[in-house]
Amino acid sequence: MENLNFIPTRDWLVVPKPDKTVTDAGIILSERSASALRSNVLPVLAAGPDCKCKTGDVVYIHPASDGVIIELEGSEYVMINESMAVLGIVK
C-alpha cells in the first residue's frame, strides 16, 4: 500500500487510478480493451475525516461514478466522493 502525504477533506477518498494500458505480459491495450479491464474494487489510499471508509479498506465503487484525477508525488490517482460513489467495503 502506498503511503501518501495527502489527507482529503470531508468525505473524499483517494484510490489508485484503475486504468490498465499494458497487461502483465507486456501487451499494449487499446482504449476500448483497457476500459473493459478496469476494476471497481480498489484500495483506499487516503480518506477524509468524515469518511466511514478508512485508509487500507478495499471498497466497491459504482461503475458509472466519475472521479477527479489528481497528481500526487509524480503519480496519478482518483479522488471520489464517498457518499456518491462507494457502494460498500469489501471484508
Side-chain angles (χ1 to χ4, degrees):
M1 169 109 30
E2 298 176 50
N3 186 14
L4 299 178
N5 293 318
F6 179 78
I7 300 172
T9 58
R10 297 183 306 275
D11 65 342
W12 285 87
L13 301 171
V14 177
V15 296
K17 189 175 175 191
D19 294 336
K20 189 171 188 176
T21 57
V22 179
T23 67
D24 295 336
I27 299 169
I28 299 172
L29 301 170
S30 68
E31 187 175 322
R32 184 175 179 193
S33 295
S35 68
L37 293 176
R38 183 173 38 205
S39 175
N40 289 14
V41 179
L42 299 168
V44 175
L45 303 176
D50 297 338
C51 290
K52 292 180 183 170
C53 302
K54 302 297 177 208
T55 300
D57 285 348
V58 176
V59 295
Y60 183 77
I61 298 169
H62 191 285
S65 64
D66 290 324
V68 177
I69 296 175
I70 60 171
E71 186 174 324
L72 296 170
E73 302 167 6
S75 297
E76 287 188 335
Y77 301 93
V78 178
M79 281 189 70
I80 57 169
N81 184 277
E82 181 187 50
S83 62
M84 299 298 292
V86 175
L87 298 176
I89 300 171
V90 179
K91 293 283 182 178

